[in-house]
Amino acid sequence: MDGTGHGDGRGAARILVLGIGNILWADEGFGVRTVERLAADWRFPDTVTLMDGGTQGLYLLPHLENADALIVVDAIDYGLPPGTRRVFHGDEVPAFLGAKKMSLHQTGFQEVLASAMFLGRCPEKLILVGVQPECLEDYGGGLTDTVAAQVAPTIDVILQLLRGEFGVEGVRRDAAADIAAPAIARDAYEGGRPSAEDACRIGDPRILAALSATAS
């Protein structure tokens, strides 16, 4: 998903707002869902790009190389109460991304930052907006209520960062834009989730029965 906007942006910083995470694992998708909502509701100058980074890892490197500033939005395990939001700047960003591994995407994005730094092409300004997840082990699940409640306040934080750090103002859209592919947009994805029985999220009952019989 890319942000669309207005203005020629000459001489302005190129800003990448990047949501990372895996929407298939509950609160892991927080960063992606937040940037998805931001892009649906707000327009920005052409110097601002809103991107669903998903779990792409090193494929994101060219996008970082083309940015002067990077705002990363992600679920970060700080060991704090679920829903806690923290904002970090500069050298704190790679430090906190590596503080506690939650998933492969986190390691992959550390590699992206390290590669960009090694090549001398890392954005000059790094900002991380992270929210403590509540659940990461529900495959096929959506955001928990606790973490979903942080999407709107986190968008407010991003808007404040864009305004305060870069002098960029967003413009509210008259109607929400369809940014994500329909099948994986949050409402469709979470609303269309099958029951636990239909999805076999706790395992195939035929295998479980066989294991139980073997154990007895």
Side-chain angles (χ1 to χ4, degrees):
M1 89 182 77
D2 291 326
T4 56
H6 51 81
D8 58 20
R10 286 176 293 184
R14 297 165 299 176
I15 305 162
L16 174 61
V17 182
L18 182 67
I20 58 175
N22 190 336
I23 63 170
L24 298 179
W25 288 103
D27 289 337
E28 253 258 32
F30 173 77
V32 172
R33 294 310 190 190
T34 298
V35 174
E36 174 187 303
R37 188 75 255 156
L38 177 65
D41 291 345
W42 293 85
R43 293 185 295 113
F44 296 96
D46 295 335
T47 51
V48 178
T49 298
L50 310 181
M51 185 174 215
D52 168 3
T55 58
Q56 295 181 61
L58 288 172
Y59 289 105
L60 296 171
L61 185 56
H63 299 285
L64 267 68
E65 292 176 342
N66 289 327
D68 300 308
L70 171 67
I71 300 175
V72 182
V73 190
D74 195 9
I76 301 291
D77 189 353
Y78 309 109
L80 298 174
T84 302
R85 183 178 57 255
R86 302 281 297 277
V87 179
F88 299 96
H89 297 257
D91 293 340
E92 294 179 319
V93 174
F96 271 91
L97 282 174
K100 188 171 182 180
K101 300 292 193 304
M102 297 190 308
S103 65
L104 292 175
H105 91 259
Q106 206 166 323
T107 304
F109 193 70
Q110 277 186 284
E111 293 175 354
V112 175
L113 281 179
S115 298
M117 290 174 180
F118 178 76
L119 295 170
R121 299 175 184 172
C122 190
E124 293 179 12
K125 207 154 202 168
L126 298 177
I127 301 173
L128 168 64
V129 184
V131 165
Q132 173 75 37
E134 180 174 0
C135 176
L136 298 170
E137 298 177 352
D138 184 9
Y139 183 70
L143 301 181
T144 60
D145 290 343
T146 301
V147 171
Q150 292 301 315
V151 170
T154 299
I155 286 174
D156 289 339
V157 169
I158 296 169
L159 293 171
Q160 290 169 12
L161 287 168
L162 289 170
R163 184 183 306 114
E165 298 279 342
F166 309 103
V168 173
E169 291 284 351
V171 176
R172 188 93 188 190
R173 295 183 187 275
D174 294 331
D178 294 325
I179 301 298
I184 61 170
R186 184 180 164 200
D187 288 346
Y189 176 76
E190 294 184 0
R193 190 186 196 199
S195 68
E197 293 77 13
D198 291 340
C200 278
R201 288 194 293 274
I202 60 172
D204 189 323
R206 297 165 296 178
I207 302 301
L208 294 175
L211 290 174
S212 178
T214 302
S216 61

